[in-house]
């Protein structure tokens, strides 16, 4: 990989990622040496459910929208893959087709490792097996957390928790307390992430505004008071 094709912030997103940054220097260097850069415009399709897995991918900028199609034919967002995160390894391990659709959300930059290079990395660096095992254990724990929240927490609590997570991943501090979430999300997008209706999410957001916790802007959210939002999340 010629690192000059990445901007400084893109390169920093990859190198400072919580998983990637803990790898040994030889492994990090080998991954980057084999990677190539792919830039996608907003909405560009990256992979489709059912197709063979051929790539392992790291997000350097923007976000990857992982989605599925409901029985009624509606596209439903399941999660957004944030900068610094690597994904796509599971299907390369088990050899099964991709389980979901993936597309760019906003202007997105990816680092891509082709399947043969991924397999070779595993052969040359046994460390990568353990690192990916830890990564997938974390994914599994997060999945159980989501299921638990869905069954035990009210929508307001789950929504506040989701906004805090988005602020941590995409937040840009403004002034002393305000945090603007850089990821463009409509209320329908938030509703899909939470398994709720847009109307109910809209009602809860209006309540958050009345409490002085957030400000709702078209396709943007601004956290006005993190402590108030934490209090809602813990109710």
């Amino acid at each position: 990989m010629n690192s000059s094709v990445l901007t400084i912030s893109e390169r920093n997103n990859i190198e400072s990622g919580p998983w990637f940054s803990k790898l040994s220097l030889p492994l990090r260097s080998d991954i980057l040496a084999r990677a190539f850069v792919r830039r996608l415009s907003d909405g560009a399709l990256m992979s489709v459910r059912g197709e063979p897995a051929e790539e392992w991918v790291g997000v350097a900028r923007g976000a990857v929208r992982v989605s599925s199609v409901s029985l009624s034919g509606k596209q439903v967002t399941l999660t957004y893959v944030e900068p610094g995160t690597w994904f796509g390894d599971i299907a390369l391990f088990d050899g099964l087709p991709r389980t979901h659709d993936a597309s760019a959300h906003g202007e997105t930059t990816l680092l891509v490792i082709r399947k043969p290079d991924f397999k070779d990395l595993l052969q040359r660096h046994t460390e990568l097996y353990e690192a990916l095992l830890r990564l997938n254990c974390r994914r599994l724990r997060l999945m159980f957390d989501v299921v638990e929240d869905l069954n035990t927490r009210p929508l307001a609590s789950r929504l506040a928790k989701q906004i805090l997570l988005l602020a941590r991943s995409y937040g840009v501090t403004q002034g002393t307390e305000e945090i603007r979430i850089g990821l463009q999300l409509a209320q329908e997008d938030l509703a899909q992430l939470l398994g709720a209706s847009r109307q109910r999410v809209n009602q809860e957001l209006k309540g958050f505004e009345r409490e002085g916790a957030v400000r709702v802007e078209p396709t943007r959210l601004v956290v006005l008071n993190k402590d108030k939002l934490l209090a809602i999340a813990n109710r």
Side-chain angles (χ1 to χ4, degrees):
M1 182 201 71
N2 181 354
S3 61
S4 65
V5 300
L6 291 176
T7 66
I8 293 174
S9 62
E10 288 170 347
R11 189 162 62 248
N12 181 66
N13 284 337
I14 290 293
E15 293 178 348
S16 65
W19 178 80
F20 186 82
S21 63
K22 291 182 175 63
L23 302 177
S24 67
L25 179 58
L27 176 52
R28 295 199 310 269
S29 299
D30 203 0
I31 290 172
L32 295 177
R34 296 165 184 266
F36 65 92
V37 175
R38 178 181 295 155
R39 297 185 185 277
L40 300 174
S41 57
D42 181 36
L45 198 60
M46 181 186 147
S47 60
V48 178
R49 179 174 184 165
E51 72 178 15
E54 299 295 338
E55 298 173 340
W56 181 44
V57 179
V59 182
R61 177 176 71 113
V64 173
R65 177 178 182 255
V66 179
S67 60
S68 184
V69 179
S70 69
L71 292 175
S72 63
K74 180 181 179 181
Q75 199 78 16
V76 178
T77 302
L78 302 176
T79 190
Y80 291 93
V81 184
E82 64 190 57
T85 302
W86 290 77
F87 69 102
D89 47 283
I90 292 177
L92 292 178
F93 274 122
D94 65 19
L96 296 177
R98 294 293 188 197
T99 55
H100 301 93
D101 299 334
S103 58
H105 186 80
E107 298 297 315
T108 299
T109 304
L110 306 173
L111 280 186
V112 181
I113 303 285
R114 293 187 178 92
K115 183 177 180 179
D117 284 317
F118 177 76
K119 296 291 187 181
D120 194 45
L121 283 167
L122 291 171
Q123 291 294 322
R124 292 174 179 269
H125 304 272
T126 55
E127 166 197 354
L128 184 56
Y129 276 105
E130 185 176 346
L132 287 170
L133 178 60
R134 290 195 304 270
L135 178 63
N136 283 298
C137 285
R138 173 169 169 73
R139 289 170 177 160
L140 189 58
R141 288 178 182 274
L142 290 173
M143 184 187 72
F144 280 127
D145 284 345
V146 170
V147 173
E148 181 180 3
D149 285 352
L150 188 61
N151 286 279
T152 62
R153 288 178 178 268
L155 177 58
S157 174
R158 292 190 287 120
L159 177 57
K161 189 174 180 180
Q162 182 66 63
I163 294 171
L164 286 166
L165 289 172
L166 291 169
R168 185 185 67 185
S169 300
Y170 296 97
V172 179
T173 302
Q174 299 180 156
T176 57
E177 285 197 9
E178 288 191 5
I179 303 173
R180 176 180 294 274
I181 296 173
L183 187 69
Q184 286 193 347
L185 287 179
Q187 290 184 22
E188 178 64 27
D189 297 321
L190 274 175
Q192 289 179 9
L193 288 175
L194 296 165
S197 68
R198 186 193 62 78
Q199 291 80 5
R200 287 196 62 202
V201 167
N202 178 263
Q203 290 173 359
E204 297 295 351
L205 286 174
K206 287 180 179 178
F208 291 2
E209 283 190 300
R210 287 192 297 270
E211 294 189 43
V214 303
R215 181 173 69 247
V216 180
E217 299 178 353
T219 72
R220 301 281 186 183
L221 284 173
V222 180
V223 177
L224 300 178
N225 191 305
K226 189 176 179 180
D227 289 338
K228 288 183 178 180
L229 207 53
L230 277 168
I232 298 171
N234 290 325
R235 286 176 186 170

